Amino acid sequence: FNVTRNFEFPIRAPPRVGFVILSLTAIILCSSGVTTAQTINIDRVVAELEPEIHRTLLAGNIPSASIALVSGDQVIWSGAYGQSNLWARTPAATNTVYLIGSTFKTMSSVALLQQMEQGKFKLDDRVSDYLTDFKIQGEDPQKPVTFRHLLTHTSGLPPDFGGFPVWGDTVPPSLEEYLRKSLKVTKPPMTSVTYSNMAYTLIGYLVQKLSGKPYKQYIQEHIFTPLEMNSTAFEPRPDMDERLSIPYRVDEKTGAQVGAVRVKASVWPAGLVYGTVLNQANWLIANLNGGKFKDKQIISEATLEQMFTRQHDQFKGGIEGIWGNETAGFGLTWWTQIRDGDRYIAHSGSVRGYTAFVLGNRDRKLGFAILTNGNRAHPHLFKLGDRAMDLLKKYSKEKTVIRP
């Protein structure tokens, strides 16, 4: 085979059989035998979206991307573009494995809120009251860190990462060891929004402590398995490893794509997780359908409503200066905003050499998921996501069906 490392124009992998269809009817409202159905002309959507995908990959220096579109409770289309391994010229596929990054924070948050639904804590409880092995260093008892603070990046805990090369001689410390040593606020809660991986590492520890199960086991049993996220894992299994994309970055001197160092991290519960775009689509489906996937209810609709609601109006506006309009803000982990009259949820993820994004339209139950092996490609994915949503809306029609 050819072993050149030149970055070429993306090659499209064949869409997953059964997903490209002329139209799809998603039932979104039923009562008294009258059904309002949303019909989407997916061929028209894809015809206009594909040129945008190619432009996105070129503009963002993204070697490959896997994409899925959701309507109602179904994936209505998926496709893959570019090469997951430039050296081997491996075409990306919809089952290519990428690092999903901080999109996983939304999953970990649901795991924590499942404990809340069981009555084990309340959102505005002091977190320190639930910690016995260590405490939050530097915390003012008069201004305690609460669960709500953790879930809105307003806790005063620092960003942190603590990277370790996958092939190196050192490994991240245990959750307990890391938190015992590093858990320290740098400012009082609600001073500002500071995106904190440390906070979500503490969330992982709290899930473990409150559930009585090891964190990874709990996530597998209560998130991944019920949502049929069979190719999502903290450590890629051998069958995932052979589908694993190479992370890339652009060399500043030559402008060429070069492999990025794979890393582990002390804050691994904040997003060091691997998965596929079709698994990400399942996650979107559950969130767009009141916490339900097929016949499994993983979280209540009432709790999801809290997750999707902007929590602190004083911090409204663009998320981290990179996403959203003047209505945007953090819900409970989820980013939220209103655009063109519709309510949206979103979250991105990025570890060197990978960028991910999920976007959902709550009112129309439309979803967009993308995984890439491009480095820090956020603005390009945000723009593409908005374009995909606009096209899904443009080519959708609602009609009333009278059932006998």
Side-chain angles (χ1 to χ4, degrees):
F1 52 81
N2 194 319
V3 296
T4 59
R5 295 176 61 89
N6 295 328
F7 178 55
E8 297 186 343
F9 193 82
I11 301 171
R12 183 186 170 208
R16 190 179 181 193
V17 175
F19 282 133
V20 177
I21 52 178
L22 289 177
S23 65
L24 178 139
T25 300
I27 296 174
I28 60 174
L29 177 67
C30 299
S31 64
S32 304
V34 179
T35 300
T36 300
Q38 181 172 256
T39 301
I40 297 175
N41 187 328
I42 196 63
D43 276 357
R44 296 292 296 275
V45 171
V46 174
E48 292 193 33
L49 184 62
E50 282 197 316
E52 299 291 341
I53 294 171
H54 291 303
R55 281 192 284 269
T56 295
L57 298 193
L58 291 173
N61 290 306
I62 301 167
S64 74
S66 295
I67 302 170
L69 302 179
V70 166
S71 178
D73 61 357
Q74 297 182 52
V75 176
I76 59 172
W77 175 86
S78 62
Y81 301 80
Q83 296 172 343
S84 62
N85 183 325
L86 296 177
W87 180 81
R89 297 180 177 271
T90 307
T94 54
N95 65 352
T96 295
V97 175
Y98 298 87
L99 195 143
I100 69 173
S102 289
T103 64
F104 175 73
K105 284 183 170 71
T106 60
M107 304 174 202
S108 191
S109 298
V110 165
L112 180 65
L113 293 172
Q114 288 173 340
Q115 312 310 307
M116 184 189 75
E117 291 190 337
Q118 295 172 29
K120 296 181 180 179
F121 73 90
K122 295 180 180 178
L123 276 176
D124 295 310
D125 284 352
R126 294 164 44 107
V127 173
S128 288
D129 291 342
Y130 296 82
L131 301 177
T132 55
D133 300 326
F134 48 81
K135 293 296 180 182
I136 301 174
Q137 301 173 50
E139 182 183 40
D140 181 349
Q142 301 304 313
K143 297 179 179 179
V145 175
T146 67
F147 287 85
R148 193 186 303 272
H149 294 147
L150 295 180
L151 292 165
T152 55
H153 297 281
T154 56
S155 65
L157 292 169
D160 210 20
F161 187 72
F164 295 80
V166 167
W167 309 119
D169 295 329
T170 55
V171 296
S174 68
L175 278 182
E176 293 86 348
E177 182 183 350
Y178 166 72
L179 292 169
R180 185 179 294 109
K181 178 181 179 181
S182 303
L183 189 64
K184 183 178 182 179
V185 293
T186 58
K187 54 190 171 183
M190 295 298 293
T191 302
S192 64
V193 174
T194 299
Y195 193 85
S196 177
N197 291 314
M198 184 182 289
Y200 282 78
T201 305
L202 179 55
I203 285 171
Y205 173 81
L206 288 165
V207 169
Q208 181 170 280
K209 188 170 183 63
L210 293 169
S211 70
K213 289 186 176 183
Y215 178 65
K216 293 178 182 178
Q217 179 185 339
Y218 185 90
I219 293 293
Q220 182 64 54
E221 294 177 356
H222 296 270
I223 304 293
F224 296 161
T225 296
L227 297 185
E228 299 178 13
M229 298 174 70
N230 301 322
S231 287
T232 302
F234 292 95
E235 295 92 18
R237 303 181 307 269
D239 67 289
M240 293 172 61
D241 192 36
E242 63 180 352
R243 294 180 275 131
L244 186 59
S245 57
I246 301 296
Y248 289 99
R249 63 179 180 85
V250 175
D251 185 273
E252 293 181 0
K253 294 182 178 179
T254 67
Q257 293 279 355
V258 295
V261 176
R262 294 190 187 277
V263 295
K264 294 184 177 182
S266 297
V267 297
W268 57 267
L272 271 292
V273 179
Y274 294 82
T276 65
V277 78
L278 294 174
N279 282 190
Q280 293 285 90
N282 286 1
W283 177 241
L284 271 177
I285 287 170
N287 280 271
L288 293 172
N289 289 274
K292 189 174 184 179
F293 181 79
K294 296 184 178 179
D295 61 344
K296 296 175 283 288
Q297 189 80 38
I298 65 161
I299 195 82
S300 74
E301 194 163 356
T303 298
L304 272 187
E305 185 64 32
Q306 291 187 73
M307 293 188 74
F308 298 161
T309 300
R310 191 179 66 213
Q311 297 292 302
H312 303 301
D313 288 347
Q314 64 267 48
F315 299 129
K316 71 179 180 180
I319 300 288
E320 297 292 302
I322 60 173
W323 181 86
N325 56 29
E326 68 280 358
T327 70
F330 278 105
L332 299 177
T333 302
W334 277 110
W335 306 349
T336 72
Q337 78 163 345
I338 297 173
R339 184 172 73 87
D340 296 334
D342 288 345
R343 298 172 300 169
Y344 285 87
I345 56 170
H347 211 291
S348 71
S350 180
V351 174
R352 199 176 198 193
Y354 292 106
T355 312
F357 185 52
V358 289
L359 176 67
N361 181 317
R362 295 179 59 195
D363 296 301
R364 301 171 189 262
K365 294 189 178 180
L366 300 173
F368 167 86
I370 182 169
L371 294 176
T372 79
N373 58 344
N375 191 49
R376 297 190 177 280
H378 302 78
H380 305 282
L381 305 193
F382 298 163
K383 183 178 179 180
L384 183 64
D386 285 347
R387 181 58 176 157
M389 284 294 177
D390 291 343
L391 289 171
L392 287 169
K393 290 165 63 176
K394 178 181 178 180
Y395 291 112
S396 68
K397 293 182 179 179
E398 290 189 2
K399 61 182 180 180
T400 300
V401 179
I402 308 297
R403 292 183 293 126

